[in-house]
Amino acid sequence: MAIQWYPGHMHKAQKDIRELLPQVDLLIEVLDARIPYSSENPAIEKIRGDKPCIKILSKSDLADPAVTAAWQVHLEQQRGVKTFPTTTDEPAKIKQLLELCRRMFPAKDAGVKTINAMIVGIPNVGKSTIINTLADRIIAKTGNEPAVTKSQQRINLGSGIVLFDTPGILWPKIDNPNSSYRLAVTGAIKSTAMEYDDVGFYAADYLIKAYPELLKERFQLESIPDTELAFLEVAALRRGALSAGGRINLHKICELLINELRAGTVGRISLETPEMVVQEKIAIAEAQAKKEADAAERKRRFKAGSRNPSESELAEQEANNAKRAPRGSRPPKATKPRKAK
Protein backbone atom coordinates (compact mmCIF):
# COMPACT_ATOMS: atom_id res chain seq x y z
CA MET A 1 0.00 0.00 0.00
CA ALA A 2 1.41 3.39 -0.99
CA ILE A 3 0.85 6.30 1.39
CA GLN A 4 -0.38 9.32 -0.56
CA TRP A 5 0.12 11.86 2.19
CA TYR A 6 3.11 14.11 2.74
CA PRO A 7 1.86 17.68 3.38
CA GLY A 8 4.12 20.67 2.87
CA HIS A 9 4.23 21.48 6.59
CA MET A 10 5.85 18.08 7.22
CA HIS A 11 8.66 18.86 4.79
CA LYS A 12 9.24 22.18 6.56
CA ALA A 13 9.11 20.49 9.99
CA GLN A 14 11.82 18.02 9.00
CA LYS A 15 14.02 20.88 7.81
CA ASP A 16 13.43 22.79 11.07
CA ILE A 17 14.36 19.73 13.13
CA ARG A 18 17.69 19.43 11.32
CA GLU A 19 18.47 23.08 12.01
CA LEU A 20 17.46 22.94 15.68
CA LEU A 21 19.09 19.64 16.61
CA PRO A 22 22.61 21.05 17.24
CA GLN A 23 21.14 23.24 20.04
CA VAL A 24 19.46 20.27 21.72
CA ASP A 25 20.92 18.10 24.50
CA LEU A 26 18.34 15.34 24.39
CA LEU A 27 16.00 13.89 21.80
CA ILE A 28 12.66 12.44 22.94
CA GLU A 29 11.00 10.31 20.27
CA VAL A 30 7.43 9.15 20.85
CA LEU A 31 6.74 5.76 19.27
CA ASP A 32 3.56 3.71 19.10
CA ALA A 33 4.16 0.69 21.37
CA ARG A 34 2.21 -1.48 18.91
CA ILE A 35 4.60 -0.61 16.04
CA PRO A 36 7.90 0.71 17.48
CA TYR A 37 9.82 0.07 14.25
CA SER A 38 7.19 1.32 11.82
CA SER A 39 6.53 4.47 13.88
CA GLU A 40 10.25 5.31 14.11
CA ASN A 41 11.15 7.99 11.58
CA PRO A 42 14.31 6.84 9.75
CA ALA A 43 15.20 10.46 8.99
CA ILE A 44 15.36 11.24 12.72
CA GLU A 45 17.57 8.23 13.32
CA LYS A 46 20.02 9.41 10.66
CA ILE A 47 20.37 12.97 11.96
CA ARG A 48 20.43 12.05 15.67
CA GLY A 49 23.98 10.73 15.60
CA ASP A 50 25.20 9.96 19.14
CA LYS A 51 22.84 12.42 20.82
CA PRO A 52 21.11 10.82 23.88
CA CYS A 53 17.58 9.69 23.14
CA ILE A 54 14.54 8.59 25.13
CA LYS A 55 12.13 6.49 23.12
CA ILE A 56 8.67 6.71 24.66
CA LEU A 57 6.53 3.67 23.89
CA SER A 58 3.16 5.39 23.94
CA LYS A 59 -0.20 3.60 24.07
CA SER A 60 1.49 0.62 25.71
CA ASP A 61 -1.87 -0.31 27.27
CA LEU A 62 -3.03 -1.26 23.75
CA ALA A 63 0.05 -3.36 22.96
CA ASP A 64 0.97 -6.94 23.85
CA PRO A 65 3.01 -6.52 27.08
CA ALA A 66 5.39 -9.38 26.29
CA VAL A 67 6.18 -7.92 22.88
CA THR A 68 6.66 -4.44 24.39
CA ALA A 69 9.21 -5.85 26.84
CA ALA A 70 11.07 -7.47 23.93
CA TRP A 71 11.12 -4.14 22.10
CA GLN A 72 12.59 -2.39 25.13
CA VAL A 73 15.49 -4.83 25.20
CA HIS A 74 15.97 -4.48 21.45
CA LEU A 75 15.87 -0.66 21.37
CA GLU A 76 18.16 -0.17 24.36
CA GLN A 77 20.91 -2.05 22.55
CA GLN A 78 21.38 1.20 20.61
CA ARG A 79 23.96 3.55 22.08
CA GLY A 80 22.56 6.32 24.29
CA VAL A 81 18.96 5.07 24.11
CA LYS A 82 16.56 4.59 27.02
CA THR A 83 12.96 3.41 26.66
CA PHE A 84 9.94 4.64 28.59
CA PRO A 85 6.64 2.77 28.13
CA THR A 86 3.59 4.75 29.08
CA THR A 87 -0.07 5.44 28.31
CA THR A 88 -1.91 8.69 27.78
CA ASP A 89 -4.14 8.10 30.83
CA GLU A 90 -1.30 7.73 33.36
CA PRO A 91 -0.30 11.34 34.15
CA ALA A 92 1.74 10.37 37.22
CA LYS A 93 3.86 7.97 35.19
CA ILE A 94 4.30 10.44 32.34
CA LYS A 95 5.72 12.99 34.77
CA GLN A 96 8.43 10.50 35.72
CA LEU A 97 9.88 11.32 32.32
CA LEU A 98 11.30 14.55 33.78
CA GLU A 99 13.26 12.57 36.37
CA LEU A 100 14.61 10.27 33.66
CA CYS A 101 15.76 13.31 31.66
CA ARG A 102 17.69 14.62 34.70
CA ARG A 103 19.29 11.23 35.35
CA MET A 104 20.62 11.15 31.80
CA PHE A 105 22.56 14.37 32.54
CA PRO A 106 23.88 14.00 36.11
CA ALA A 107 26.37 16.85 35.60
CA LYS A 108 23.54 19.35 35.17
CA ASP A 109 22.03 20.15 38.57
CA ALA A 110 18.31 20.86 38.51
CA GLY A 111 17.54 24.54 38.13
CA VAL A 112 21.17 25.49 37.43
CA LYS A 113 21.96 24.19 33.98
CA THR A 114 19.11 23.86 31.52
CA ILE A 115 18.49 20.67 29.58
CA ASN A 116 17.21 21.46 26.11
CA ALA A 117 15.09 18.56 24.88
CA MET A 118 13.27 18.14 21.59
CA ILE A 119 10.22 15.90 21.28
CA VAL A 120 9.37 14.32 17.94
CA GLY A 121 6.99 11.65 16.71
CA ILE A 122 4.70 10.59 13.91
CA PRO A 123 1.14 11.96 13.71
CA ASN A 124 -1.48 10.73 16.19
CA VAL A 125 0.99 8.93 18.44
CA GLY A 126 -0.01 10.76 21.64
CA LYS A 127 2.78 13.35 21.67
CA SER A 128 0.53 16.34 22.40
CA THR A 129 -1.11 14.62 25.36
CA ILE A 130 2.32 13.86 26.83
CA ILE A 131 3.37 17.50 26.47
CA ASN A 132 0.22 18.81 28.15
CA THR A 133 0.71 16.39 31.04
CA LEU A 134 4.35 17.41 31.55
CA ALA A 135 3.48 21.12 31.40
CA ASP A 136 0.40 20.82 33.66
CA ARG A 137 -1.58 22.92 31.21
CA ILE A 138 -3.05 22.77 27.73
CA ILE A 139 -0.30 23.80 25.35
CA ALA A 140 -0.45 21.36 22.47
CA LYS A 141 -3.66 20.58 20.62
CA THR A 142 -4.87 17.00 20.84
CA GLY A 143 -7.16 14.98 18.61
CA ASN A 144 -7.82 11.60 17.06
CA GLU A 145 -6.88 12.84 13.60
CA PRO A 146 -3.22 12.94 12.55
CA ALA A 147 -1.29 16.18 11.97
CA VAL A 148 -2.91 18.39 14.62
CA THR A 149 0.29 20.24 15.54
CA LYS A 150 1.44 22.46 12.67
CA SER A 151 4.41 24.45 14.03
CA GLN A 152 7.24 24.35 16.56
CA GLN A 153 6.71 25.42 20.16
CA ARG A 154 9.17 26.15 23.00
CA ILE A 155 7.88 25.04 26.41
CA ASN A 156 9.49 25.56 29.82
CA LEU A 157 8.63 22.45 31.86
CA GLY A 158 10.39 23.60 35.03
CA SER A 159 12.98 21.43 36.78
CA GLY A 160 15.54 22.99 34.45
CA ILE A 161 14.07 21.40 31.31
CA VAL A 162 13.01 23.28 28.19
CA LEU A 163 11.08 21.29 25.60
CA PHE A 164 10.91 22.04 21.88
CA ASP A 165 7.77 20.59 20.32
CA THR A 166 7.61 19.78 16.61
CA PRO A 167 4.78 18.76 14.26
CA GLY A 168 4.21 15.06 13.76
CA ILE A 169 5.94 14.04 10.56
CA LEU A 170 5.82 11.09 8.22
CA TRP A 171 8.38 10.54 5.49
CA PRO A 172 7.71 10.56 1.74
CA LYS A 173 8.80 7.00 0.97
CA ILE A 174 8.35 3.95 3.19
CA ASP A 175 10.58 1.10 2.03
CA ASN A 176 8.83 -1.60 4.04
CA PRO A 177 5.31 -2.22 2.63
CA ASN A 178 4.26 -3.83 5.91
CA SER A 179 5.04 -0.59 7.73
CA SER A 180 2.62 1.30 5.49
CA TYR A 181 -0.19 -1.03 6.51
CA ARG A 182 0.75 -0.92 10.20
CA LEU A 183 0.76 2.87 10.21
CA ALA A 184 -2.68 2.83 8.60
CA VAL A 185 -4.06 0.29 11.07
CA THR A 186 -2.95 2.32 14.10
CA GLY A 187 -4.31 5.63 12.80
CA ALA A 188 -1.11 7.47 11.85
CA ILE A 189 -2.52 8.07 8.37
CA LYS A 190 -5.65 10.06 7.63
CA SER A 191 -8.63 8.02 6.46
CA THR A 192 -8.68 10.02 3.22
CA ALA A 193 -5.20 8.71 2.34
CA MET A 194 -5.96 5.00 2.80
CA GLU A 195 -8.41 2.35 1.60
CA TYR A 196 -10.23 0.62 4.45
CA ASP A 197 -10.77 -2.56 2.44
CA ASP A 198 -7.07 -2.96 1.66
CA VAL A 199 -5.96 -2.21 5.22
CA GLY A 200 -8.73 -4.34 6.70
CA PHE A 201 -7.64 -7.41 4.72
CA TYR A 202 -4.05 -6.91 5.91
CA ALA A 203 -5.16 -6.60 9.54
CA ALA A 204 -7.41 -9.66 9.33
CA ASP A 205 -4.64 -11.78 7.81
CA TYR A 206 -2.19 -10.77 10.55
CA LEU A 207 -4.65 -11.30 13.41
CA ILE A 208 -5.67 -14.75 12.16
CA LYS A 209 -2.02 -15.83 12.38
CA ALA A 210 -0.88 -13.92 15.48
CA TYR A 211 -3.95 -13.51 17.73
CA PRO A 212 -6.62 -16.08 16.74
CA GLU A 213 -7.87 -16.50 20.30
CA LEU A 214 -8.58 -12.78 20.67
CA LEU A 215 -10.56 -12.83 17.43
CA LYS A 216 -12.58 -15.85 18.55
CA GLU A 217 -13.47 -14.13 21.81
CA ARG A 218 -14.27 -10.73 20.32
CA PHE A 219 -16.44 -12.03 17.47
CA GLN A 220 -17.83 -15.01 19.41
CA LEU A 221 -16.57 -17.64 17.00
CA GLU A 222 -15.94 -21.31 17.74
CA SER A 223 -13.12 -21.43 15.20
CA ILE A 224 -11.24 -18.98 13.00
CA PRO A 225 -11.46 -19.38 9.19
CA ASP A 226 -8.20 -19.98 7.33
CA THR A 227 -8.36 -16.90 5.08
CA GLU A 228 -8.91 -13.22 5.77
CA LEU A 229 -11.86 -13.08 3.32
CA ALA A 230 -13.63 -15.97 5.02
CA PHE A 231 -13.08 -14.39 8.44
CA LEU A 232 -14.35 -10.98 7.32
CA GLU A 233 -17.48 -12.56 5.85
CA VAL A 234 -18.23 -14.39 9.10
CA ALA A 235 -17.46 -11.27 11.16
CA ALA A 236 -19.75 -9.20 8.93
CA LEU A 237 -22.62 -11.60 9.58
CA ARG A 238 -21.96 -11.40 13.32
CA ARG A 239 -21.95 -7.60 13.33
CA GLY A 240 -24.66 -6.99 10.75
CA ALA A 241 -22.25 -5.35 8.30
CA LEU A 242 -24.55 -5.97 5.36
CA SER A 243 -25.65 -4.09 2.26
CA ALA A 244 -29.09 -4.08 0.63
CA GLY A 245 -30.34 -7.58 -0.01
CA GLY A 246 -28.30 -9.05 2.83
CA ARG A 247 -25.01 -8.98 0.95
CA ILE A 248 -21.73 -8.78 2.85
CA ASN A 249 -20.44 -5.20 3.09
CA LEU A 250 -16.67 -5.70 3.15
CA HIS A 251 -15.90 -2.00 3.41
CA LYS A 252 -18.10 -1.68 6.50
CA ILE A 253 -16.64 -4.71 8.32
CA CYS A 254 -13.07 -3.65 7.46
CA GLU A 255 -13.69 -0.18 8.85
CA LEU A 256 -15.28 -1.68 11.96
CA LEU A 257 -12.34 -4.04 12.53
CA ILE A 258 -9.77 -1.24 12.15
CA ASN A 259 -11.65 1.07 14.53
CA GLU A 260 -11.87 -1.70 17.15
CA LEU A 261 -8.16 -2.42 16.79
CA ARG A 262 -7.35 1.25 17.33
CA ALA A 263 -9.58 1.42 20.39
CA GLY A 264 -8.15 -1.76 21.88
CA THR A 265 -11.49 -3.54 22.11
CA VAL A 266 -10.13 -6.57 20.24
CA GLY A 267 -7.43 -6.93 22.91
CA ARG A 268 -3.82 -5.95 23.55
CA ILE A 269 -2.18 -6.46 20.19
CA SER A 270 1.27 -5.68 18.79
CA LEU A 271 1.58 -5.58 15.02
CA GLU A 272 5.32 -6.28 14.83
CA THR A 273 8.07 -7.96 16.84
CA PRO A 274 11.85 -7.43 16.75
CA GLU A 275 12.27 -10.83 15.07
CA MET A 276 9.75 -9.97 12.34
CA VAL A 277 11.46 -6.66 11.64
CA VAL A 278 14.91 -8.26 11.36
CA GLN A 279 13.62 -10.64 8.67
CA GLU A 280 11.80 -7.85 6.86
CA LYS A 281 14.96 -5.73 6.79
CA ILE A 282 16.89 -8.63 5.27
CA ALA A 283 14.24 -9.07 2.56
CA ILE A 284 14.25 -5.33 1.80
CA ALA A 285 18.06 -5.26 1.58
CA GLU A 286 18.06 -8.24 -0.80
CA ALA A 287 15.39 -6.65 -3.00
CA GLN A 288 17.30 -3.38 -3.07
CA ALA A 289 20.55 -5.17 -3.94
CA LYS A 290 18.82 -6.96 -6.84
CA LYS A 291 17.33 -3.70 -8.07
CA GLU A 292 20.73 -2.02 -8.02
CA ALA A 293 22.37 -4.98 -9.76
CA ASP A 294 19.75 -4.94 -12.52
CA ALA A 295 20.22 -1.19 -12.97
CA ALA A 296 24.00 -1.62 -13.14
CA GLU A 297 23.62 -4.35 -15.79
CA ARG A 298 21.35 -2.17 -17.90
CA LYS A 299 23.84 0.69 -17.61
CA ARG A 300 26.75 -1.60 -18.56
CA ARG A 301 24.97 -2.87 -21.66
CA PHE A 302 24.04 0.65 -22.68
CA LYS A 303 27.62 1.89 -22.34
CA ALA A 304 28.90 -1.11 -24.30
CA GLY A 305 26.58 -0.09 -27.12
CA SER A 306 24.98 -3.54 -27.23
CA ARG A 307 21.55 -3.56 -28.78
CA ASN A 308 21.29 -7.35 -28.55
CA PRO A 309 18.33 -8.45 -26.43
CA SER A 310 18.86 -10.84 -23.56
CA GLU A 311 17.41 -14.38 -23.53
CA SER A 312 14.50 -13.24 -21.33
CA GLU A 313 13.79 -10.34 -23.71
CA LEU A 314 13.79 -12.77 -26.66
CA ALA A 315 11.28 -15.00 -24.89
CA GLU A 316 9.05 -12.00 -24.18
CA GLN A 317 9.28 -10.92 -27.82
CA GLU A 318 8.24 -14.37 -29.06
CA ALA A 319 5.28 -14.36 -26.67
CA ASN A 320 4.15 -10.96 -27.98
CA ASN A 321 4.53 -12.16 -31.59
CA ALA A 322 2.35 -15.17 -30.81
CA LYS A 323 -0.38 -12.92 -29.46
CA ARG A 324 -0.37 -10.74 -32.57
CA ALA A 325 -0.22 -13.58 -35.13
CA PRO A 326 -3.48 -14.46 -37.01
CA ARG A 327 -5.22 -17.63 -35.83
CA GLY A 328 -3.81 -20.73 -37.56
CA SER A 329 -0.62 -19.02 -38.70
CA ARG A 330 2.84 -19.59 -37.31
CA PRO A 331 4.24 -16.57 -35.46
CA PRO A 332 7.65 -15.29 -36.52
CA LYS A 333 10.56 -16.35 -34.37
CA ALA A 334 12.35 -13.64 -32.42
CA THR A 335 15.93 -13.29 -33.49
CA LYS A 336 18.85 -11.20 -32.39
CA PRO A 337 19.57 -8.34 -34.78
CA ARG A 338 22.58 -8.73 -37.03
CA LYS A 339 25.56 -6.49 -36.50
CA ALA A 340 26.14 -3.94 -39.22
CA LYS A 341 29.09 -4.75 -41.47
Side-chain angles (χ1 to χ4, degrees), residues 8-301:
H9 81 271
M10 289 189 176
H11 176 76
K12 181 180 183 300
Q14 188 161 306
K15 180 182 176 183
D16 291 345
I17 289 172
R18 288 179 180 272
E19 294 176 352
L20 182 62
L21 200 59
Q23 308 171 36
V24 171
D25 301 306
L26 173 68
L27 188 68
I28 300 173
E29 185 172 16
V30 185
L31 307 177
D32 190 318
R34 297 166 294 180
I35 52 169
Y37 163 71
S38 295
S39 60
E40 184 179 53
N41 191 332
I44 298 297
E45 189 62 25
K46 288 179 181 178
I47 64 178
R48 178 177 76 88
D50 292 332
K51 198 173 292 291
C53 179
I54 298 174
K55 293 184 183 287
I56 298 178
L57 299 176
S58 181
K59 305 184 181 182
S60 58
D61 56 324
L62 301 178
D64 186 326
V67 177
T68 299
W71 272 113
Q72 286 189 260
V73 173
H74 180 79
L75 291 171
E76 291 192 0
Q77 291 175 357
Q78 302 175 30
R79 183 179 178 183
V81 172
K82 296 290 184 183
T83 57
F84 188 81
T86 188
T87 69
T88 54
D89 59 355
E90 292 181 313
K93 184 172 182 180
I94 291 175
K95 289 186 177 182
Q96 293 175 12
L97 180 63
L98 298 176
E99 182 182 345
L100 177 58
C101 291
R102 301 294 325 178
R103 289 203 306 268
M104 294 186 72
F105 295 90
K108 293 192 176 186
D109 298 326
V112 178
K113 293 185 178 180
T114 301
I115 297 174
N116 291 317
M118 181 167 63
I119 188 167
V120 298
I122 65 170
N124 203 30
V125 77
K127 180 167 62 71
S128 295
T129 301
I130 291 172
I131 292 171
N132 293 337
T133 302
L134 293 175
D136 278 326
R137 61 189 187 278
I138 303 298
I139 292 178
K141 294 180 180 180
T142 60
N144 291 326
E145 276 293 309
V148 174
T149 304
K150 299 290 185 182
S151 60
Q152 286 190 5
Q153 301 181 81
R154 185 178 184 276
I155 307 155
N156 191 336
L157 299 178
S159 302
I161 300 175
V162 172
L163 187 67
F164 293 88
D165 181 24
T166 59
I169 56 174
L170 286 173
W171 43 106
K173 181 182 178 182
I174 297 178
D175 295 326
N176 189 336
N178 291 305
S179 292
S180 300
Y181 282 107
R182 293 165 189 159
L183 287 165
V185 170
T186 55
I189 301 169
K190 285 186 175 182
S191 58
T192 54
M194 57 174 271
E195 296 180 1
Y196 274 104
D197 297 26
D198 189 23
V199 178
F201 269 74
Y202 176 89
D205 178 63
Y206 176 78
L207 293 173
I208 288 170
K209 298 171 182 175
Y211 295 98
E213 294 303 318
L214 290 181
L215 285 185
K216 285 168 64 175
E217 181 177 353
R218 180 62 185 169
F219 291 91
Q220 299 179 351
L221 302 174
E222 293 184 2
S223 62
I224 297 295
D226 295 331
T227 68
E228 62 271 33
L229 176 59
F231 163 73
L232 289 170
E233 289 177 339
V234 172
L237 291 173
R238 288 285 188 183
R239 295 300 178 82
L242 306 174
S243 299
R247 293 174 297 176
I248 300 295
N249 188 327
L250 285 176
H251 176 87
K252 186 174 181 180
I253 189 59
C254 286
E255 185 174 359
L256 185 149
L257 176 63
I258 292 169
N259 288 336
E260 292 198 358
L261 278 172
R262 292 175 180 176
T265 52
V266 177
R268 299 184 65 173
I269 288 170
S270 293
L271 296 173
E272 60 190 18
T273 67
E275 294 77 15
M276 286 170 55
V277 168
V278 167
Q279 294 302 315
E280 289 172 4
K281 285 183 176 180
I282 292 173
I284 292 171
E286 290 176 346
Q288 182 62 27
K290 184 179 184 305
K291 182 178 179 181
E292 292 174 357
D294 291 344
E297 174 62 16
R298 288 194 299 270
K299 186 175 182 180
R300 184 195 66 77
R301 291 179 57 211

